[in-house]
């Protein structure tokens, strides 16, 4: 049936699939997804089948569902939110004679799909022979526009490639709502919730080659419209037909293809949604977007996409010499991060982006801690939009804090619109560190851009309200300083603890940044009724923050008492019992020294200014032996700290795990959607790990070192209106300004100097001399497959 098992070619600027492998179809639908932050389309085949998850998504568009509890409790969220698979416009079915093109039947002579990272399109070529012996070549190019927020388009061409004379074909181009999704039943909590026919029809109109469907959700009462229009170039006789009903609009084109001739169809798609506008208004919005896209034409849409990406890569590219597989993976990851956030425009950036229904399409702290650092230093406008979305949910966060008996704002652990939707409070509501993660992202954006308007109108308010939560959540203790008890840190295998070091140190930064913002923005502070006593309280709490340390072991405790817990029986845990959360009760996991994901180690990175190098080396070694990485969030953070503490080869291995999480489906659930935070980790390890970049207190410092296999690493960051280029070899680093009116002051391994457009070189000192570290059995960095280069 196929030309061989599907595999990816290792190319620096594309991801190319050769062959068809039905077992990998779901994963490939995710990695070939196209999005722009508003629209997301999974990389399904144009013909609609075979398919695992058809998936078309609009950012922020969801349906509500009740959250049942065996035993309800005060403050438990009552409503869940689930992303909706909206009207599918990707489908273009092909009938060759009277036989549908289906890659499960007939004979595949050749099949290639390629995600082009420079052009921003998904290309596909299939040569297929029908059971009756007729052969065609199908080529398609799909794009979701990065410049036109509402627009997607597909160019679909069919060529008769045999010598048997005229070939009669039919194309069926669909808009299909309430599509059947064969979501397999699973106990995996990372999967999404299946919904039956979530869309109710309100309007359906069509004329000529053009149709629009308008639907509304039953419970959330959100309204969306999808529209399509077509351009056709046929070599011979053809007929056309359009049918439109509540859930299906279909444009049918039947044509005769003489041998060697080609038919071309361009399908324009437009999407929009609203919680307020009428059905007619949403329809009109889509009609207008379609009209302008068709007027621009296919060639212009493709050219706009390339021009935007040329500008992006000029400022954001990461170059890696010595590991072709990682070079490709890091660029693929950065492309998907860009797609997740570029045109979100005051909507959230979900954990899966818009590539699948995993985690029900929810947004977590991943956005602020993993994704926004990439965007802040490469596409700062997208980071700003994501923070404006958080600000738009501030009143809901204030309501949640009041419900919990706290001051300020308590942001949700998982959400789509802004309400808390986590039904498991030990790993949801108790994870208050999300407040500090948001504050960290706000402060980073401010220092990286000096965006005065943002600071005045949005950022200061976010910093103040998050600081108020910590001031009320914690308390002063005569013996231990300012304590924050009964919370859950990033490690979800250690829940509801006292004085989680990551939480406390990030809260400390939150309190200090809020105090600084009040000094910068006295009018905003007055509007928020911030008093001098309140600021003094924040500063004292930050100064006296409790940071648990085990003197006998010489390491920080992840949380108070953690190093006194019983050790997990790693030797007795078999490989098939990972992830632990699917095979052991949380009760047992919570009381043992076993770490799901980097927690204290992440504090060493994000709050590295609070630790000495000797402490980092000791802490990293201790927690490396207890971290099983049952979360895709862990490898990137472990890589960064492995690099800083001298374990350069280990850092390289973790880099591969983070960047290749989805390309190799390392966690077994990439079919539910990509791990956007882990993909962002590919950039993080390059820049913060081997580039050694830190941004404490708004100052850029670098401490680059390369692992043995990498001969050169180069990257660029945007900072305060300037673009800084960094190039690293094993012996030296070179710094220069690509553009910017003012020189920039940075530090290299502790030496401060000023960078201009003239390259400046600095020698790289040797790495710390450290003892090897070890991981728990079966938890070493995941082994990479042998790459295919041709």
């Amino acid at each position: 049936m196929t030309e061989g098992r599907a595999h990816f070619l290792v190319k620096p600027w594309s991801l190319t699939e050769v062959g068809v492998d039905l077992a990998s179809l779901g994963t490939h639908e995710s990695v070939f997804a196209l999005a722009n932050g508003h629209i997301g389309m999974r990389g399904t085949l144009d013909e609609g089948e075979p398919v695992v998850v058809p998936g078309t998504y609009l950012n922020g568009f969801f349906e509500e569902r009740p959250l049942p509890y065996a035993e309800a409790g005060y403050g438990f969220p009552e409503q869940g939110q689930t992303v909706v698979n909206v009207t599918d416009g990707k489908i273009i079915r092909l009938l060759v004679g009277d036989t549908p093109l289906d890659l499960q039947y007939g004979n595949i002579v050749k099949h290639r799909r390629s995600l082009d990272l420079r052009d921003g399109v998904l290309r596909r070529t299939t040569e297929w022979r029908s059971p009756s012996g007729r052969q065609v070549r199908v080529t398609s190019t799909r794009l979701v526009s990065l410049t036109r927020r509402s627009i997607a388009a597909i160019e679909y061409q069919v060529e008769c490639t045999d010598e048997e004379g005229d070939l009669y074909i039919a194309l069926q181009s669909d808009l299909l709502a309430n599509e059947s999704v064969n979501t397999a039943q699973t106990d995996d909590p990372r999967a999404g919730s299946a919904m039956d026919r979530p869309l109710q029809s309100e309007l359906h109109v069509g004329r000529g080659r053009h149709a629009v469907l308008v639907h509304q959700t039953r419970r959330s009462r959100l309204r969306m419209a999808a529209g399509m229009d077509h351009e056709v170039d046929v070599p011979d006789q053809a007929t056309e037909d359009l049918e439109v009903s509540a859930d299906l609009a279909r444009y049918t084109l039947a044509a005769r293809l003489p041998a060697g001739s080609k038919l071309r169809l361009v399908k324009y798609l437009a999407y929009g949604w609203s919680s307020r506008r009428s059905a007619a208004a949403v329809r009109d919005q889509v009609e207008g977007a379609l009209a302008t896209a068709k007027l621009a034409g296919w060639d212009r849409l493709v050219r706009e996409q390339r021009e935007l990406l040329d500008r992006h890569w000029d400022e954001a590219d990461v170059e890696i010499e010595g590991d072709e597989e990682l070079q490709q993976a890091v660029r693929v990851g950065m492309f998907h991060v860009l797609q997740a956030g570029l045109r979100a425009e005051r909507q959230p950036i979900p954990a899966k982006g818009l590539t699948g229904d995993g985690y029900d399409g929810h947004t977590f702290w991943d956005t602020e801690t993993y994704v926004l650092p990439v965007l802040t230093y490469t596409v700062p406008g997208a980071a700003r939009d994501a923070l404006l979305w958080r600000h738009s949910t501030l009143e809901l966060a204030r309501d949640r804090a009041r419900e919990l008996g706290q001051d300020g704002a308590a942001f949700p652990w998982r959400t789509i619109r802004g309400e808390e939707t986590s039904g498991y409070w030990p790993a949801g509501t108790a994870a208050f560190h999300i407040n500090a993660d948001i504050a960290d992202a706000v402060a980073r954006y401010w220092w990286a851009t000096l965006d005065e308007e943002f600071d005045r109108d949005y950022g200061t308010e976010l910093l103040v309200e998050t600081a108020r939560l910590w001031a009320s959540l914690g308390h002063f203790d005569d013996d231990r300083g300012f304590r924050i008890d009964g919370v859950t840190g990033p490690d979800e295998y250690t829940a509801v603890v006292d004085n989680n070091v990551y939480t406390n140190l990030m809260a400390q930064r939150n309190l200090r940044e809020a105090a600084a913002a009040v000094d910068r923005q006295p009018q905003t502070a007055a509007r928020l009724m911030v008093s001098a006593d309140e600021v003094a309280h924040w500063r004292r709490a930050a100064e006296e923050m409790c940071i648990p340390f085990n003197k006998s072991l010489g390491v920080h405790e992840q949380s108070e008492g953690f190093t006194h817990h019983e050790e997990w029986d790693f030797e007795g845990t078999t490989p098939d019992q990972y992830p632990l959360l699917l095979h052991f009760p949380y009760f047992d996991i919570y009381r043992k020294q076993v770490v799901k994901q980097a927690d204290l180690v992440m504090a060493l990175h994000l709050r590295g200014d609070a630790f000495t190098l000797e402490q980092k080396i000791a802490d990293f070694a201790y927690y490396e032996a207890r971290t099983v990485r049952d979360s895709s969030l862990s490898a990137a953070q472990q890589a960064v700290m492995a690099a800083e503490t001298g374990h350069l080869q280990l850092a390289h291995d973790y880099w591969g795990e983070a960047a290749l999480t989805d390309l190799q489906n390392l966690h077994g659930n990439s079919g539910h959607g990509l791990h956007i935070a882990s993909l962002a980790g590919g950039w993080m390890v390059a820049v913060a790990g081997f580039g050694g970049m830190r941004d404490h207190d708004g100052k850029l410092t670098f401490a680059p070192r390369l692992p043995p296999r990498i001969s050169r690493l180069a990257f660029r960051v945007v900072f305060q209106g300037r673009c800084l280029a960094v190039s690293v070899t094993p012996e030296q680093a070179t710094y220069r300004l690509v553009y910017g009116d003012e020189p920039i002051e940075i530090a290299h391994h502790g030496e401060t100097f000023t960078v201009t457009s003239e390259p400046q070189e600095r020698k790289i000192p040797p790495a710390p001399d450290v003892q090897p570290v070890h991981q728990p059995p079966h938890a070493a960095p995941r082994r990479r497959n042998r790459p295919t280069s041709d």
Side-chain angles (χ1 to χ4, degrees):
M1 180 188 72
T2 73
E3 61 174 11
R5 181 176 174 82
H7 60 276
F8 292 132
L9 300 182
V10 177
K11 300 290 186 182
W13 285 105
S14 66
L15 180 68
T16 299
E17 167 195 68
V18 178
V20 177
D21 179 12
L22 298 182
S24 303
L25 193 59
T27 297
H28 290 201
E29 289 171 358
S30 296
V31 299
F32 285 130
L34 294 178
N36 63 9
H38 173 59
I39 306 168
M41 293 181 167
R42 283 175 61 82
T44 51
L45 296 165
D46 301 287
E47 294 78 25
E49 294 181 5
V51 64
V52 177
V53 179
T56 300
Y57 311 104
L58 296 178
N59 197 352
F61 191 85
F62 67 94
E63 178 60 307
E64 293 178 341
R65 55 185 174 82
L67 286 177
Y69 298 97
E71 294 184 22
Y74 177 80
F76 283 17
E78 297 180 357
Q79 297 292 328
Q81 298 169 356
T82 298
V83 65
V84 173
N85 175 32
V86 300
T87 307
D88 190 351
K90 304 185 300 294
I91 300 170
I92 304 175
R93 292 189 176 87
L94 170 64
L95 285 84
V96 179
D98 58 358
T99 304
L101 190 155
D102 186 329
L103 299 189
Q104 298 175 97
Y105 304 103
N107 180 256
I108 300 173
V109 179
K110 179 181 179 181
H111 177 75
R112 300 282 192 280
R113 282 197 296 173
S114 181
L115 180 64
D116 189 313
L117 306 177
R118 282 196 172 276
D119 287 345
V121 298
L122 178 63
R123 295 191 176 93
R124 172 265 187 106
T125 299
T126 300
E127 295 186 23
W128 181 77
R129 186 178 299 114
S130 72
S132 64
R134 300 307 306 267
Q135 186 164 318
V136 295
R137 179 185 297 117
V138 174
T139 59
S140 71
T141 305
R142 181 186 301 174
L143 70 80
V144 173
S145 177
L146 298 171
T147 61
R148 300 169 185 253
R149 187 170 184 259
S150 301
I151 298 300
I154 304 168
E155 181 189 54
Y156 191 92
Q157 300 182 78
V158 184
E159 183 179 359
C160 178
T161 56
D162 61 30
E163 302 295 331
E164 297 185 24
D166 294 351
L167 177 64
Y168 288 85
I169 67 167
L171 294 181
Q172 297 173 331
S173 176
D174 289 359
L175 287 177
L176 177 61
N178 289 314
E179 199 166 16
S180 176
V181 179
N182 297 318
T183 303
Q185 293 298 313
T186 176
D187 295 327
D188 190 339
R190 302 168 296 185
S193 303
M195 291 184 295
D196 181 41
R197 302 185 64 80
L199 298 173
Q200 293 180 308
S201 175
E202 290 194 306
L203 279 177
H204 51 278
V205 295
R207 60 185 182 277
R209 299 169 177 171
H210 173 108
V212 177
L213 304 182
V214 181
H215 288 82
Q216 189 177 48
T217 54
R218 290 181 173 84
R219 296 174 62 93
S220 63
R221 310 304 294 171
L222 302 182
R223 180 175 284 117
M224 60 84 53
M228 68 176 180
D229 205 343
H230 302 82
E231 290 178 349
V232 175
D233 182 10
V234 294
D236 205 285
Q237 296 179 346
T239 62
E240 301 175 85
D241 184 54
L242 180 73
E243 57 178 303
V244 182
S245 58
D247 285 349
L248 173 66
R250 172 171 292 167
Y251 167 70
T252 301
L253 174 69
R256 183 174 69 184
L257 293 187
S261 66
K262 182 187 298 185
L263 176 150
R264 175 178 179 266
L265 176 143
V266 176
K267 182 176 188 177
Y268 298 97
L269 294 163
Y271 287 89
W273 74 268
S274 176
S275 60
R276 299 182 179 91
R277 293 195 298 276
S278 67
V282 177
R283 176 203 62 199
D284 293 346
Q285 172 191 344
V286 164
E287 296 265 16
L290 267 180
T292 58
K294 191 174 180 182
L295 176 64
W298 170 258
D299 290 342
R300 185 181 182 91
L301 294 180
V302 173
R303 185 169 66 252
E304 290 173 350
Q305 197 88 333
R306 174 65 188 234
E307 290 171 351
L308 182 145
L309 286 168
D310 281 346
R311 294 191 297 271
H312 172 69
W313 292 119
D314 281 348
E315 294 183 335
D317 189 26
V318 172
E319 300 174 65
I320 303 163
E321 295 180 9
D323 192 331
E324 294 180 348
E325 187 181 37
L326 261 181
Q327 174 68 88
Q328 178 192 52
V330 168
R331 282 180 177 149
V332 168
M334 292 178 67
F335 179 75
H336 278 297
V337 169
L338 181 72
Q339 289 197 128
L342 183 63
R343 303 306 304 273
E345 298 181 10
R346 305 197 185 193
Q347 290 295 335
I349 299 177
K352 297 292 187 181
L354 298 174
T355 67
D357 58 5
Y359 294 115
D360 285 321
H362 289 167
T363 295
F364 299 77
W365 65 291
D366 311 16
T367 296
E368 282 77 17
T369 303
Y370 289 80
V371 178
L372 291 198
V374 183
L375 296 178
T376 295
Y377 294 115
T378 59
V379 195
R384 187 184 201 269
D385 278 341
L387 293 171
L388 292 184
W389 169 74
R390 281 292 188 191
H391 185 272
S392 74
T393 69
L394 188 53
E395 198 54 50
L396 292 172
R398 288 189 180 107
D399 290 343
R400 181 64 171 161
R402 285 192 288 269
E403 183 179 25
L404 298 174
Q406 304 299 319
D407 297 334
F411 283 95
W413 175 243
R414 60 188 299 171
T415 190
I416 294 178
R417 186 168 58 189
E419 300 92 341
E420 178 62 78
T421 62
S422 173
Y424 185 63
W425 67 267
T429 295
F432 287 103
H433 69 84
I434 189 169
N435 262 40
D437 300 324
I438 292 168
D440 183 56
V442 168
R444 178 179 293 108
Y445 174 79
W446 155 249
W447 288 115
T449 63
L450 301 181
D451 183 341
E452 175 68 18
E453 179 190 32
F454 173 84
D455 190 46
R456 181 189 67 237
D457 297 340
Y458 307 102
T460 295
E461 188 171 16
L462 285 167
L463 291 170
V464 165
E465 296 296 1
T466 49
R468 283 171 165 165
L469 177 83
W470 299 118
S472 66
L473 193 64
H475 70 280
F476 288 99
D477 177 84
D478 291 340
D479 296 328
R480 300 299 300 275
F482 190 77
R483 301 176 58 89
I484 302 176
D485 296 335
V487 301
T488 298
D491 173 27
E492 295 162 18
Y493 284 176
T494 312
V496 194
V497 297
D498 297 339
N499 295 309
N500 170 257
V501 168
Y502 174 86
T503 300
N504 285 19
L505 284 176
M506 296 297 283
Q508 181 186 64
R509 172 174 285 172
N510 190 166
L511 292 163
R512 288 172 174 166
E513 291 287 354
V518 166
D519 290 343
R520 288 194 306 269
Q521 303 291 348
Q523 290 184 329
T524 302
R527 173 172 62 84
L528 298 172
M529 295 183 290
V530 180
S531 69
D533 287 345
E534 187 175 20
V535 174
H537 181 81
W538 296 345
R539 289 193 166 116
R540 181 189 168 206
E543 184 66 27
E544 299 182 27
M545 188 66 68
C546 177
I547 308 298
F549 186 82
N550 186 318
K551 292 182 179 179
S552 63
L553 292 175
V555 298
H556 287 87
E557 296 190 295
Q558 180 173 286
S559 54
E560 198 166 81
F562 179 85
T563 55
H564 298 283
H565 289 181
E566 184 180 355
E567 297 279 2
W568 183 266
D569 181 13
F570 290 112
E571 295 295 338
T573 306
T574 60
D576 61 356
Q577 289 180 305
Y578 291 94
L580 300 182
L581 64 95
L582 300 183
H583 300 92
F584 296 92
Y586 271 120
F587 161 74
D588 199 24
I589 295 172
Y590 285 165
R591 61 197 188 98
K592 303 285 179 62
Q593 287 194 56
V594 57
V595 180
K596 180 182 182 184
Q597 63 203 65
D599 186 311
L600 189 283
V601 168
M602 188 160 60
L604 302 179
H605 170 202
L606 296 180
R607 284 302 321 274
D609 54 332
F611 302 87
T612 66
L613 178 59
E614 292 72 23
Q615 289 172 339
K616 292 176 184 178
I617 291 171
D619 287 346
F620 179 77
Y622 187 86
Y623 289 96
E624 184 71 4
R626 292 159 178 80
T627 302
V628 295
R629 289 191 330 288
D630 280 351
S631 166
S632 64
L633 298 178
S634 196
Q637 299 289 355
Q638 287 174 274
V640 169
M641 290 315 302
E644 183 175 350
T645 56
H647 304 282
L648 295 173
Q649 184 55 57
L650 177 62
H652 191 178
D653 293 340
Y654 279 140
W655 192 13
E657 180 175 325
L660 291 159
T661 286
D662 293 308
L663 295 185
Q664 296 185 1
N665 195 17
L666 295 180
H667 286 262
N669 65 337
S670 294
H672 301 312
L674 300 179
H675 299 78
I676 298 297
S678 187
L679 297 181
W683 179 93
M684 180 191 298
V685 180
V687 175
F690 297 114
M693 189 181 94
R694 299 292 185 272
D695 53 7
H696 304 312
D697 300 320
K699 299 176 182 177
L700 288 187
T701 63
F702 298 85
R705 288 191 183 96
L706 297 184
R709 184 175 164 187
I710 303 300
S711 59
R712 178 176 173 269
L713 170 70
F715 57 87
R716 296 181 175 188
V717 293
V718 177
F719 186 76
Q720 295 181 0
R722 290 159 284 188
C723 182
L724 175 68
V726 182
S727 178
V728 185
T729 67
E731 296 80 25
Q732 68 180 27
T734 304
Y735 303 90
R736 70 177 179 89
L737 273 186
V738 180
Y739 64 75
D741 296 333
E742 302 274 341
I744 183 172
E745 186 177 274
I746 66 169
H748 168 88
H749 284 284
E751 175 197 354
T752 300
F753 61 100
T754 299
V755 180
T756 66
S757 58
E758 292 297 320
Q760 298 210 33
E761 298 176 350
R762 292 294 186 274
K763 296 294 184 183
I764 295 177
D769 185 15
V770 292
Q771 295 296 313
V773 296
H774 67 275
Q775 300 78 38
H778 319 303
R782 288 166 170 82
R783 185 182 303 276
R784 288 194 265 160
N785 300 331
R786 181 181 297 276
T788 302
S789 59
D790 198 25

